[in-house]
Amino acid sequence: MTAIRLTVLGSGTSVGVPTIGCHCDVCTSPDPRDKRLRPSVLLEYDGRVVLIDTTPDFRQQMLRLQIPRLDAILYTHSHADHILGLDDVRPYNFYQQGTIPIFAAPDTLEVVQRVFSYIFATGETESSRPRISVNRLDGSPFDLFGLEFQPIRLKHGRGITLGYRFGRCAYLTDHSDIPPESLAQLRGLDVLFLDALRHKPHPTHSTVERSLQYVDQLAPRRAYFTHISHDLAHVQTESLLPPHVHLAYDGLVLEISNDPPIDLIKLHLNQPTSEPSALTIGNFDGTHLAHQQLFRRVARHGRERQLVPAVLTFDPHPTQVLSPDRAPKLLSTHPQRAARMADFGLEKVFVIPFTKELSQLEPRQFIQQILVERLNAKLIVIGANFRFGRKQAGDVALLKEEGVRLGFAVEVVNEFVHRGEAVSSSLVRRLLEKGDAAKAARYLGRYYRLTGRVVAGFGIGKEQTVPTLNLDWGDAMLPRNGVYVTRTTCVDTGRVWQSITNVGVRPTFQGEALTVETFLLEALVPPSPHRIEVEFLHWVRAERRFADPAALKVQIFRDVGRAKSWYRHADRAARRVH
Ligand SMILES: [Zn+2]
Ligand SMILES: [Zn+2]
Ligand SMILES: [Zn+2]
């Protein structure tokens, strides 16, 4: 898909700026950016026009920008400043000779249908009325003209509103709080819109300060604040914001790139020099909490100093070349790692083929030829025990010394300790070997996951016990043999199922080959997934041999019961948090 062009139609709060009857500096400001219609944005992509909210200023907004067509409307919630312009879609009905689909949560639709009851009334009428078709959102992502939209649940005082994520952009207006499960849906963004009414706290809206905290936490490349009151003067407020954060204004146009969030670049010694970069170096297997700390710092420095936030990593893992018999099974593939790095705002991953020759480079050569000449590193963020070059002779002290001479800064990050343990890939591997999926997740910062194709398997599950999805997990490390509570996601469509997974050799069937078999806790509505991701949430029991398939089947139903109660409990716990 081509890029998305986003236009801010309105950036003001519910009464607009200037506000009727007010003579304050902002309401009387000559700066056009201090004139704010009610909040709405327009998206254009692949010749389509999609609108978020029909404000009371809708007619004026569309006239002002001479928007020739309208293909769909998404609603965030039912407050008057977001819906009242709906009647003015009629000209688009005339020109386009068709209905316009609207998308909203059920409670929003209910209000729209009440407020605009004449639109939905059946029977003949003498006057024209909008022709729209209604689409109910249940929180799942949906496709609109080839672009996927993910609704994001937000708290708006005591109410709920929807934000929308599309590609690498998210538009969130009218929120006081963003619940944790929604924050998790907002990683790896190019552009993030947030509510920032004013500085003073407000029961149903976020403030500049609160939204700056969200920006810090989510690390989008650029952030824009909207739903702004007359408390905030544009120029003065901008001067207080960090360089990648802005106040939105009416008429602002952004191009949002839909490029893959991160570039995986194979690095060769004759590669031309890259743009100036902020860099961290390592294998980053598992992209666990200690790694994430490095990623966050690199991303922040990149933004602040206008450097490309990047990673230098090795393929294969150096131990696979230097001492293959000691080489560990890996927790993640390069694409999985790169996707995770993008979540933290990194933009490039340089993968250097690790060979015996590379391992012979003297530390000073490594710095000169790779870090300086190829990667143009201006800042290197590194763990305190980082070693590099021939015989691992290079260390942080040498790196710093060479940095002074060659013009790059070095920031050293101490060992990362979480719940009393130094976080490392081998710690995570040890926990998975014990089957302790829950504890491994604490150090990974999310659940351990295997991704791959669904393979037919042996069919025994289907005929004799319960239907299963067999996973081809590639070379990834398997957790200890046994049964786990899992969550299964279809990689291609994003469908998610609660599940249990058996890792093992199927002793009841005299099996020898290892398999990873997943049983969904709910019926599988076709189509069957081709590629799945299985997340290991919780250990249930060790693998064991049963007298016959019937006994195994009884045990599997028992396992299913345990998994269901685990999920119910997790659900309640999640609700308590919010
Ligand atoms: Zn509003
Ligand atoms: Zn005012
Ligand atoms: Zn509202």
Side-chain angles (χ1 to χ4, degrees):
M1 175 187 306
T2 49
I4 305 165
R5 190 180 137 98
L6 180 152
T7 307
V8 175
L9 300 183
S11 55
T13 187
S14 61
V15 290
V17 180
T19 303
I20 293 173
C22 184
H23 304 287
C24 77
D25 286 352
V26 178
C27 286
T28 55
S29 157
D31 186 337
R33 293 167 302 182
D34 283 327
K35 303 204 185 308
R36 302 173 183 132
L37 296 180
R38 266 62 72 85
S40 168
V41 292
L42 188 82
L43 315 177
E44 295 167 87
Y45 58 94
D46 287 349
R48 299 294 191 155
V49 179
V50 174
L51 176 73
I52 303 184
D53 291 335
T54 49
T55 77
D57 304 314
F58 170 74
R59 176 175 171 277
Q60 189 186 348
Q61 289 167 333
M62 298 304 254
L63 281 174
R64 185 148 89 171
L65 293 162
Q66 302 185 346
I67 303 299
R69 61 179 295 136
L70 182 57
D71 293 288
I73 300 164
L74 313 184
Y75 283 109
T76 56
H77 64 308
S78 62
H79 284 165
D81 52 327
H82 297 261
I83 67 169
L84 282 187
L86 178 58
D87 187 70
D88 283 318
V89 305
R90 284 175 294 138
Y92 292 109
N93 289 139
F94 304 147
Y95 298 135
Q96 292 166 214
Q97 290 295 308
T99 61
I100 295 172
I102 69 170
F103 295 79
D107 56 331
T108 302
L109 285 174
E110 199 190 294
V111 176
V112 170
Q113 283 167 329
R114 193 149 29 88
V115 171
F116 294 95
S117 56
Y118 65 94
I119 297 181
F120 301 92
T122 49
E124 287 302 304
T125 147
E126 286 183 315
S127 34
S128 72
R129 52 192 186 194
R131 276 180 293 149
I132 57 180
S133 59
V134 168
N135 298 272
R136 229 163 267 278
L137 297 179
D138 62 1
S140 334
F142 57 99
D143 177 284
L144 207 48
F145 316 118
L147 179 63
E148 186 176 275
F149 287 77
Q150 171 68 59
I152 311 277
R153 283 186 80 224
L154 306 168
K155 290 182 84 169
H156 184 24
R158 281 194 294 270
I160 296 289
T161 66
L162 291 184
Y164 293 98
R165 178 178 180 149
F166 34 97
R168 297 184 61 211
C169 180
Y171 177 73
L172 317 183
T173 182
D174 293 68
H175 56 83
S176 41
D177 287 292
I178 308 179
E181 74 274 10
S182 299
L183 288 171
Q185 295 174 306
L186 297 168
R187 295 276 178 200
L189 290 171
D190 181 7
V191 173
L192 172 62
F193 277 84
L194 292 169
D195 180 331
L197 183 72
R198 60 188 190 194
H199 295 293
K200 221 169 77 197
H202 186 277
T204 62
H205 290 282
S206 186
T207 58
V208 170
E209 289 66 29
R210 184 83 187 92
S211 284
L212 278 174
Q213 288 169 2
Y214 286 128
V215 171
D216 246 16
Q217 196 176 348
L218 295 171
R221 262 203 14 215
R222 301 175 276 171
Y224 293 87
F225 293 164
T226 189
H227 215 293
I228 309 163
S229 80
H230 65 166
D231 285 10
L232 302 183
H234 185 89
V235 171
Q236 188 203 348
T237 311
E238 278 273 308
S239 70
L240 303 173
L241 297 172
H244 63 300
V245 183
H246 304 277
L247 284 195
Y249 55 87
D250 295 20
L252 169 69
V253 177
L254 300 173
E255 297 285 337
I256 297 150
S257 107
N258 244 352
D259 295 340
I262 197 158
D263 294 333
L264 262 174
I265 300 158
K266 201 152 219 160
L267 187 70
H268 297 288
L269 287 177
N270 53 7
Q271 182 135 342
T273 306
S274 86
E275 294 163 78
S277 64
L279 194 68
T280 183
I281 309 169
N283 294 303
F284 302 117
D285 187 27
T287 52
H288 52 60
L289 295 185
H291 298 148
Q292 292 169 19
Q293 170 182 242
L294 296 172
F295 301 158
R296 278 206 193 87
R297 290 198 184 206
V298 170
R300 184 168 350 115
H301 287 306
R303 279 196 311 269
E304 286 170 5
R305 304 186 190 192
Q306 311 283 312
L307 301 171
V308 178
V311 168
L312 172 62
T313 189
F314 309 95
D315 184 46
H317 195 288
T319 46
Q320 282 169 343
V321 174
L322 300 175
S323 47
D325 40 314
R326 284 200 306 115
K329 279 277 187 190
L330 298 181
L331 301 168
S332 50
T333 62
H334 278 292
Q336 281 173 332
R337 287 176 225 176
R340 196 71 178 132
M341 290 164 184
D343 288 346
F344 289 89
L346 297 179
E347 290 171 22
K348 287 196 163 132
V349 181
F350 296 100
V351 184
I352 192 159
F354 193 88
T355 56
K356 286 237 157 76
E357 296 76 76
L358 186 78
S359 74
Q360 294 304 311
L361 270 188
E362 293 296 339
R364 284 197 163 79
Q365 289 176 306
F366 180 84
I367 293 172
Q368 176 74 41
Q369 293 178 18
I370 296 179
L371 303 185
V372 174
E373 289 172 15
R374 300 282 76 75
L375 300 179
N376 203 356
K378 297 294 177 209
L379 176 82
I380 297 174
V381 180
I382 209 72
N385 48 12
F386 175 64
R387 315 284 300 194
F388 60 100
R390 194 165 113 87
K391 295 190 173 152
Q392 301 280 286
D395 61 6
V396 166
L398 177 73
L399 196 63
K400 281 184 164 167
E401 189 188 310
E402 289 290 279
V404 173
R405 193 168 70 83
L406 296 166
F408 59 83
V410 176
E411 182 176 303
V412 179
V413 176
N414 286 328
E415 193 172 57
F416 187 80
V417 176
H418 182 64
R419 300 195 180 205
E421 296 235 46
V423 181
S424 70
S425 305
S426 38
L427 169 67
V428 174
R429 281 190 203 101
R430 282 201 302 279
L431 292 168
L432 291 174
E433 276 160 13
K434 288 197 282 187
D436 198 342
K439 201 164 176 194
R442 272 190 230 149
Y443 296 108
L444 286 169
R446 64 176 185 179
Y447 292 109
Y448 185 62
R449 56 193 62 201
L450 297 173
T451 307
R453 282 182 317 120
V454 177
V455 290
F458 302 99
I460 295 171
K462 194 162 196 173
E463 287 154 25
Q464 301 191 1
T465 52
V466 283
T468 55
L469 298 173
N470 283 5
L471 174 71
D472 172 4
W473 67 93
D475 316 314
M477 171 171 175
L478 289 184
R480 177 185 169 191
N481 287 7
V483 176
Y484 296 82
V485 181
T486 55
R487 178 166 51 210
T488 300
T489 306
C490 172
V491 173
D492 303 301
T493 63
R495 276 195 297 167
V496 179
W497 301 275
Q498 299 179 353
S499 52
I500 58 170
T501 298
N502 183 71
V503 176
V505 293
R506 303 158 57 88
T508 304
F509 302 102
Q510 276 80 47
E512 280 169 14
L514 266 174
T515 58
V516 176
E517 292 183 307
T518 294
F519 169 55
L520 307 184
L521 302 192
E522 57 207 286
L524 172 58
V525 182
S528 285
H530 295 296
R531 289 188 302 146
I532 54 172
E533 178 174 83
V534 178
E535 289 170 274
F536 291 81
L537 313 184
H538 186 74
W539 169 258
V540 177
R541 64 172 174 86
E543 189 179 38
R544 56 178 237 258
R545 189 189 177 105
F546 293 89
D548 52 53
L552 170 61
K553 190 169 178 171
V554 169
Q555 179 62 48
I556 289 180
F557 282 117
R558 210 172 287 152
D559 296 339
V560 167
R562 284 183 66 180
K564 283 188 174 160
S565 87
W566 185 90
Y567 264 110
R568 269 197 305 276
H569 184 78
D571 226 36
R572 274 201 304 275
R575 244 176 265 135
R576 269 202 303 276
V577 174
H578 315 141

